[in-house]
Amino acid sequence: YTALVHACAEMGDIERAQVTIGEMEALNIWPDTVTYTALISCAVNAGEPQKAFEIAEKMKVKDVHLNVRTYTALVHACAEMGDIERAQ
């Protein structure tokens, strides 16, 4: 499933990526840091950088660790929004 979310990220297909996450959860397969980070990148690539922060909040609520790649994707989201202060 994570590979599919990565593919969606490359194409900026946030809707398909979210469906994939939903399919995982329906099968009691819980997204991990790598999967959620791919979803964050997908949101940015889809032109929805604010959604990246919503996903990061969901990670925190679900107690999924944010790693350096997650934070890098969030900095990219800040750049897309023109919010350099938030990136710091």
Side-chain angles (χ1 to χ4, degrees), residues 9-83:
E10 292 293 321
M11 297 182 300
D13 189 348
I14 188 69
E15 292 173 12
R16 178 66 184 131
Q18 289 176 314
V19 166
T20 301
I21 297 289
E23 290 171 357
M24 289 176 68
E25 293 173 341
L27 294 170
N28 290 324
I29 302 169
W30 307 111
D32 61 9
T33 302
V34 175
T35 307
Y36 276 120
T37 300
L39 187 61
I40 287 170
S41 294
C42 188
V44 175
N45 291 343
E48 298 186 42
Q50 184 57 41
K51 188 170 279 202
F53 292 96
E54 294 169 14
I55 297 163
E57 286 303 314
K58 184 176 182 179
M59 289 175 72
K60 291 176 186 175
V61 168
K62 292 186 176 245
D63 202 27
V64 177
H65 177 73
L66 283 74
N67 65 19
V68 67
R69 290 185 180 186
T70 310
Y71 286 110
T72 300
L74 291 170
V75 168
H76 187 204
C78 290
E80 288 294 314
M81 295 187 308
D83 190 354

